[in-house]
Each structure stands twice: as C-alpha cells, then as structure tokens.
Amino acid sequence: MYRIYAGLAVVVLLVDLGCSSEDHYAGGTSPENGSPVIHSVTIVPNPIIRQGVVTAVVETKDPNQDEVALRFRWFVNGAELTGESATTLNPERLKRGDRVSVEVIPHDGKVTGTSLRSSEVSVGNTPPMIQSVSLAPKEPKVGDIIEAELEGSDADGDRIQYNFTWRHNDQVVSTGEQKTLDSAGFSRGDTVSVAVTPHDQGGIGKETHSQPVTISNRPPKFSSFEPPVVAEGRFEYRVSASDPENDPLTYSLESAPLGMTIND
C-alpha cells in the first residue's frame, strides 16, 4: 500500500504490487507483521514563502497494507521546532534565509518504522501583498482628482512599491506609479477603476482591483449677479446660472418676503 500525504488533505493511493491472497495468507495463517516504510519526504513550496502553509509530502508503504499513521518533527536551521507535529507548518515562525526540514516517523498500529528526514528547503523572498484598495472620493464629479487609497504589507519588512493601472469605462488610460487620476473631460455616468500591483526588491505580488466609482452629477452654479433694482414699488433681482452638463434648470426660493415670485 502506498500513501501520499500532501497539505491538509490526505490522499491514499493503493498500488497492486502483484501480491496474491496466498502471498499474504499462505497456508491460511497470518504472515509476520512488517514495518511500514517511507520512500520519500519533500517540502512544498520550494523555496518557501511566508504566505499560506508549508506542507510535507510523504510517500509511504506498508507490506501488510495496514493503515499507516505518521508523526512529524519540523526543524529550522537544524533545531527542532517545539509544538509542531502536523503535516503542515505555519510559516509565520520563519524568516527569510531559514533552512527548513522535516522528519517523518511511520507507525502501522503494531510497529514503528524507520524515520526519514527531508532535504532542507530555504525560505526565500515573500512578495508583498495588498489588503485593500479603494477610490476616493466615492462619488467623484467631472474634474475631480481621483485617488487610490490602499493598504499593503511585506512579510520580510521590505520597502513596497506599487504600479497602478487606471481604467476609464473599462479602457486602460494610464499605467505607472501615479496613484491619482484627473477626471477632467469625463462625463456624468462614466466609471473609473484601478488595479494595483505591489512589488519589492525580490518579486512581484498579486494584482488587486478596486471597486469602480461612477462620475456623478455636478450641481449648477450662479454665473452672474446684477445689482437689485427698485422701480414703481417693485424689487427686482436678476441672476444667471449654468449647468456643467447643460441640464435644464429650474429655480425655487428657499426664503423670501411674502408675495415675491420667480420669473424665468
């Protein structure tokens, strides 16, 4: 029986080694129990990065096809890590440059087999990652400067740099280290989004996309004010207004003396 252990799941692979039932129970009697054997132990990923988990991949065989339990001993730079006996190792306890190995001891419920230790695997550079990215303001107007706001981290403490890919209505309009985009010339209802890729001196992290924002309506503005005129007992105050999107305008009085009205 071969068993391959990888990650959090256990995959059991049965291989017909050409043994007949007579081979196992010649003369109707049970054969002597044989020790389980480990054929190989490897560590993935290689090199190790300090994201996800470090996993021991084990190939084992038991001559009597018994279930084989495995015990793990993890080592960092030759010293055993206390409290680590599972098939996976949390890389938070590691640092770049560490050398990691694992020793596996098989047991079939009756007898313990010979242990096998893997080759050492080095902890390499861990690329930076982005926790969040969003755009501000959330309701930009035409002409606003839109800025990417983000949070990133690097497990090795390296300096992080970012590359920004800006999209206007799903079309790329800018790439580079510019974390802002000028919306001058855009129109109401247009969408803007950004994709951010982090990198450090040793590698490139995963690209992360913001949620798009929609260019909102700009309010109309008064464009001119004329001096008030009083004639024949009437008070007149003339104003002009314009709308950036050329929408039709209506007017209302927020507060006024009794009897005052608005004429277009």
Side-chain angles (χ1 to χ4, degrees), residues 242-253:
S242 61
D243 185 84
E245 284 89 22
N246 296 319
D247 294 331
L249 302 179
T250 59
Y251 301 84
S252 63
L253 291 172

Side-chain angles (χ1 to χ4, degrees):
M1 172 181 291
Y2 282 90
R3 294 178 176 83
I4 298 177
Y5 295 79
L8 298 179
V10 177
V11 180
V12 179
L13 175 63
L14 302 181
V15 179
D16 184 357
L17 300 179
C19 297
S20 67
S21 59
E22 289 78 7
D23 293 328
H24 290 293
Y25 300 105
T29 60
S30 176
E32 181 180 355
N33 182 72
S35 300
V37 178
I38 294 178
H39 287 276
S40 67
V41 181
T42 55
I43 293 176
V44 294
N46 184 4
I48 294 169
I49 61 173
R50 295 174 60 200
Q51 294 171 358
V53 294
V54 182
T55 303
V57 179
V58 183
E59 183 182 356
T60 183
K61 172 192 173 184
D62 186 88
N64 307 106
Q65 298 189 9
D66 294 328
E67 286 290 334
V68 179
L70 300 177
R71 185 164 65 89
F72 297 84
R73 298 174 63 202
W74 290 90
F75 296 84
V76 176
N77 301 326
E80 184 174 1
L81 280 177
T82 59
E84 299 290 349
S85 59
T87 184
T88 58
L89 175 68
N90 189 332
E92 290 183 356
R93 301 182 63 177
L94 308 175
K95 65 182 183 299
R96 182 168 53 194
D98 282 346
R99 304 181 313 278
V100 179
S101 61
V102 62
E103 181 183 29
V104 185
I105 304 97
H107 192 279
D108 65 1
K110 306 178 186 69
V111 64
T112 299
T114 302
S115 64
L116 183 65
R117 190 159 169 175
S118 72
S119 300
E120 287 188 325
V121 174
S122 296
V123 179
N125 178 72
T126 300
M129 62 184 300
I130 295 175
Q131 280 79 34
S132 66
V133 56
S134 60
L135 298 179
K138 296 184 181 301
E139 297 182 358
K141 300 175 178 60
V142 173
D144 283 349
I145 301 297
I146 303 174
E147 181 176 1
E149 297 181 336
L150 55 90
E151 293 184 6
S153 64
D154 188 280
D156 303 315
D158 295 333
R159 177 175 175 267
I160 308 174
Q161 294 178 290
Y162 301 95
N163 187 78
F164 300 85
T165 300
W166 289 94
R167 287 179 171 84
H168 171 224
N169 293 335
D170 294 328
Q171 300 297 315
V172 175
V173 293
S174 175
T175 59
E177 297 182 355
Q178 187 70 29
K179 66 179 299 185
T180 60
L181 182 69
D182 190 347
S183 66
F186 294 179
S187 301
R188 178 179 56 193
D190 288 355
T191 59
V192 176
S193 63
V194 68
V196 186
T197 304
H199 60 95
D200 61 14
Q201 60 182 356
I204 299 174
K206 181 180 178 181
E207 182 180 73
T208 302
H209 294 255
S210 74
Q211 290 294 320
V213 295
T214 302
I215 303 296
S216 61
N217 180 66
R218 286 187 294 172
K221 295 182 179 180
F222 286 111
S223 56
S224 67
F225 300 89
E226 297 182 12
V229 176
V230 179
E232 298 180 358
R234 292 171 58 88
F235 177 87
E236 293 186 0
Y237 186 64
R238 298 177 180 273
V239 296
S240 298
S242 61
D243 185 84
E245 284 89 22
N246 296 319
D247 294 331
L249 302 179
T250 59
Y251 301 84
S252 63
L253 291 172
E254 290 187 356
S255 63
L258 183 66
M260 178 172 280
T261 60
I262 294 179
N263 296 326
D264 292 339

